[in-house]
Amino acid sequence: MRIEVDRHRCEGFGMCEEVAPDLYALDDDGNLQVHEGDLAPGVEARAASGARVCPVAALKLVST
Amino acid sequence: MPATVPVSAVDVYDPEVVNNPFEVYDELRESGPVVYFEKYGVFALPRYQEVREALSDPEHFISGAGVGLTKEGNAPIIGTLLASDDPLHATLRAVLSEQLSPRELRKLGERLQAQADALVAEAVGLGTFDAITDLSARFPVSVVADLVGLPEEGREKLLPGANAIFSTRFGPERDDIAQFWPAAKAYVEYIAASCNRETLAPGSWGAAVLDAADENRLAGTPPAQSLSAILIAGMDTTVNLLGSFLRILAEQPQVWADLKADPSLISSGITETLRIESPVQGFYREVRGDVELGGHRFDEGDRVMVMFGAANRDPRQYENPAQFDLRRNPLDHLAFGYGLHGCVGQHLAKMEARALLTSLLAQVESIELAGTPEQRYNPVLRGLVHLPVRVTPAPGGVQ
């Protein structure tokens, strides 16, 4: 699984970062940076939690 | 009339239900994932999962036919950010999404805190005061009116106007709501008269709306409509959030003590207040196409109430949902809606609440009720009209 960001939707609320700061981070310009590529099985659940709290549903986990 | 879903005779707009809706919500959730309100001829989703699913599917559950109950109420809001679908919705949302982004709002942090500190100091100086009229109702009005660039004169019209708009646009036809139509009209006229460069401060959000109109970025919609949408969405809702949180603090000394001991719990407390006392209790969507949700197949044109307030107290989602848990931090609550139409101003609302609570914790030693809190009758907004409290200043706290 990997994290997919809908860039048109993301408005930089940063709630994903609050839940899983090692997988999601807003950079100094407020743009969301996410863990690139395959997620290790151990972090998938946290990646999903981060995606779940996105208030505008801009994040999802997709199969690689 | 649908045969497949439970039919309910309950009137969620009845003043007694509005005053204390939670038992009714419990019954509705238990009766099924989809219920039908026979009084109004609409469906309702009282559980968390289905509300979230409907909000996640804006192609089948559209906003562009209005998000209030009646045709008459919806007519004036159709085509606004709240009551539109993409691509119009995306066009309108883009006008201020930059200004409302956390990145931009960060720059306001110090100013907001200073405003909150001054208002709290004034209230604390009174000792006993009304935490709604003396505090919760003042802060968002001054914050949002400043950001929009409105002159001081006329601001007293904003809160009563927003209340009238919420009542008439989203509620049922009732005599006690019909009385608000003239106030709603006066409010619309006030906004229309204010929506020009002579009135709105340069560099303000209001000026940004006028820029968007000049540059054809409002898809031909009137700028006053966008201005009004920002003002209405950004005030009464936040007033209710602040008032509800203050009520919890005045009624539950342990919550206050825990917050005093660990102010880093402020954000979690705000999130939990949004969950348990959702300022907007419910909006509508209209069905397009063929869609099944909660085991029910909806027909094109069905009106469906998304019950944020009921969903946020669903025991399937939150353990002991009626209990305020300062440490719960329920970030997936639906008080701001969710998905495409998720509240664009939610970060600002939370910043305001954080600033106010930070001031209170610094300046106040203890807070308690000094009278009976009085609920306001508004068909969709949950909040107080009066909250008498008595506070003891913190030693050296008041500036």
Side-chain angles (χ1 to χ4, degrees), chain B residues 162-187:
Chain B
N163 185 48
I165 294 282
F166 265 102
S167 298
T168 54
R169 272 39 167 180
F170 305 116
E173 284 182 50
R174 293 175 56 95
D175 288 346
D176 48 10
I177 288 175
Q179 63 171 328
F180 286 116
W181 278 95
K185 184 165 177 280
Y187 178 77

Side-chain angles (χ1 to χ4, degrees), chain B residues 44-89:
Chain B
L45 307 175
R47 294 184 186 173
Y48 180 93
Q49 189 56 38
E50 285 73 22
V51 170
R52 192 172 161 109
E53 279 177 30
L55 298 175
S56 303
D57 185 4
E59 286 175 10
H60 290 110
F61 293 92
I62 70 160
S63 295
V67 301
L69 175 65
T70 66
K71 277 201 165 58
E72 197 187 16
N74 280 323
I77 63 161
I78 286 175
T80 62
L81 177 60
L82 183 65
S84 58
D85 303 300
D86 279 350
L88 174 60
H89 161 268

Side-chain angles (χ1 to χ4, degrees), chain A residues 9 11-13 15 18-19 29-31 52-57, chain B residues 48 52 93 97 101-103 317 329 331-332 338-340 346 350:
Chain A
R9 284 267 185 102
E11 291 172 350
F13 290 111
M15 289 168 69
E18 205 176 310
V19 172
D29 295 327
N31 296 314
R52 183 176 168 76
V53 299
C54 175
V56 290
Chain B
Y48 180 93
R52 192 172 161 109
R93 186 156 175 135
S97 60
S101 72
R103 167 185 49 211
Q317 182 66 22
N329 201 24
L331 291 169
D332 57 358
Y338 174 69
L340 188 70
Q346 57 184 282
K350 287 189 282 191

Side-chain angles (χ1 to χ4, degrees), chain B residues 246-264:
Chain B
L246 289 174
R247 178 184 190 165
I248 288 161
L249 297 175
E251 287 183 339
Q252 302 184 40
Q254 192 58 50
V255 175
W256 173 257
D258 290 350
L259 260 187
K260 281 288 274 188
D262 184 2
S264 75

Side-chain angles (χ1 to χ4, degrees), chain B residues 26-224:
Chain B
D26 290 346
E27 286 166 24
L28 292 170
R29 275 193 311 266
E30 289 320 300
S31 65
V34 182
V35 297
Y36 185 78
F37 290 154
E38 63 180 357
K39 183 174 169 73
Y40 298 111
V42 297
F43 293 86
L45 307 175
R47 294 184 186 173
Y48 180 93
Q49 189 56 38
E50 285 73 22
V51 170
R52 192 172 161 109
E53 279 177 30
L55 298 175
S56 303
D57 185 4
E59 286 175 10
H60 290 110
F61 293 92
I62 70 160
S63 295
V67 301
L69 175 65
T70 66
K71 277 201 165 58
E72 197 187 16
N74 280 323
I77 63 161
I78 286 175
T80 62
L81 177 60
L82 183 65
S84 58
D85 303 300
D86 279 350
L88 174 60
H89 161 268
T91 302
L92 295 175
R93 186 156 175 135
V95 173
L96 278 182
S97 60
E98 183 62 29
Q99 284 87 339
L100 284 163
S101 72
R103 167 185 49 211
E104 285 299 309
L105 289 174
R106 214 180 309 159
K107 300 170 188 165
L108 299 175
E110 282 181 26
R111 199 171 96 200
L112 282 191
Q113 194 60 62
Q115 271 179 289
D117 289 347
L119 280 173
V120 168
E122 215 178 296
V124 170
L126 298 171
T128 300
F129 61 94
D130 186 331
I132 304 301
T133 56
D134 293 328
L135 197 56
S136 303
R138 294 179 65 191
F139 187 40
V141 172
S142 80
V143 169
V144 177
D146 282 353
L147 288 169
V148 165
L150 282 173
E152 292 285 341
E153 196 194 335
R155 288 185 183 188
E156 71 285 351
K157 297 181 182 129
L158 289 168
L159 265 189
N163 185 48
I165 294 282
F166 265 102
S167 298
T168 54
R169 272 39 167 180
F170 305 116
E173 284 182 50
R174 293 175 56 95
D175 288 346
D176 48 10
I177 288 175
Q179 63 171 328
F180 286 116
W181 278 95
K185 184 165 177 280
Y187 178 77
V188 170
E189 285 164 2
Y190 158 66
I191 298 299
S194 306
C195 193
N196 56 69
R197 299 214 183 255
E198 293 71 49
T199 308
L200 298 169
S204 65
W205 292 0
V209 168
L210 294 175
D211 292 343
D214 290 348
E215 294 159 16
N216 289 320
R217 287 186 283 112
L218 291 182
T221 61

Side-chain angles (χ1 to χ4, degrees), chain B residues 285-350:
Chain B
R285 295 292 186 264
E286 188 165 309
V287 174
R288 284 293 176 274
D290 194 13
V291 65
E292 192 177 311
L293 178 67
H296 178 72
R297 183 157 293 278
F298 287 92
D299 292 326
E300 172 113 3
D302 284 344
R303 302 283 303 171
V304 184
M305 186 181 194
V306 279
M307 302 186 72
F308 309 130
N312 279 335
R313 285 177 177 238
D314 187 347
R316 293 160 195 78
Q317 182 66 22
Y318 301 110
E319 213 173 299
N320 295 326
Q323 166 117 28
F324 181 92
D325 177 354
L326 183 60
R327 290 173 177 80
R328 189 191 308 258
N329 201 24
L331 291 169
D332 57 358
H333 72 83
L334 300 171
F336 290 127
Y338 174 69
L340 188 70
H341 285 273
C343 174
V344 70
Q346 57 184 282
H347 194 74
L348 177 61
K350 287 189 282 191

